[in-house]
Amino acid sequence: MTYTINGKEYSEFDINKRCAEILAWESEPHVKSVEFDRHNCFWVEHVGFSAFPVEHYLNNPADTWPIIEKCWDDLNKSILRNGGLRKSHWQDTMQMHKCTKLVAACICFIELKEQGNG
């Protein structure tokens, strides 16, 4: 399955990879570059290299929880759609992409970070 986020097509692996990348940049204060190795592990260069694994954000709530916490307020913002029906950004994203709550949280997280919010 692919999803369009900010005009770009993402596979499920691409979403997992992008979420890992964003989280790694946030967790390492002196990041100089970000790379992926053939084992799908995340390597962050600062003083040396340290591994930051690509988790299963799209299907494991424990892996997704840090993302949900970072965009909780945005996920729960009320949106007016279809003649005044109110729903949360989370519900709207799930409906638009025909996806689960975890996928919607990851999509919201990527959208926020790429728009310079959050």
Side-chain angles (χ1 to χ4, degrees):
M1 181 110 198
T2 60
Y3 303 92
T4 303
I5 305 170
N6 295 333
K8 182 179 173 190
E9 292 295 313
Y10 283 79
S11 68
E12 291 181 352
F13 176 73
D14 293 331
I15 291 174
N16 280 325
K17 189 172 152 181
R18 182 67 178 126
C19 286
E21 180 179 25
I22 293 168
L23 291 170
W25 282 103
E26 289 181 351
S27 70
E28 296 287 337
H30 303 292
V31 170
K32 293 181 183 173
S33 68
V34 174
E35 301 172 17
F36 291 90
D37 71 10
R38 68 178 185 265
H39 302 292
N40 299 328
C41 285
F42 210 84
W43 292 91
V44 179
E45 180 183 334
H46 49 110
V47 178
F49 285 95
S50 61
F52 192 99
V54 176
E55 302 290 356
H56 300 286
Y57 302 111
L58 301 183
N59 58 17
N60 185 341
D63 292 340
T64 316
W65 188 247
I67 289 169
I68 293 169
E69 285 185 318
K70 289 179 181 295
C71 58
W72 179 259
D73 291 339
D74 289 285
L75 286 168
N76 289 292
K77 279 184 184 171
S78 182
I79 296 173
L80 263 173
R81 292 271 197 240
N82 302 328
L85 294 176
R86 288 206 172 273
K87 58 173 77 173
S88 70
H89 184 189
W90 210 339
Q91 292 168 319
D92 191 55
T93 303
M94 288 169 50
Q95 183 177 1
M96 183 186 332
H97 291 281
K98 295 175 180 49
C99 64
T100 67
K101 284 184 177 184
L102 298 181
V103 173
C106 292
I107 289 171
C108 180
F109 183 61
I110 292 169
E111 287 173 342
L112 290 170
K113 294 302 176 175
E114 291 184 353
Q115 293 169 359
N117 302 324

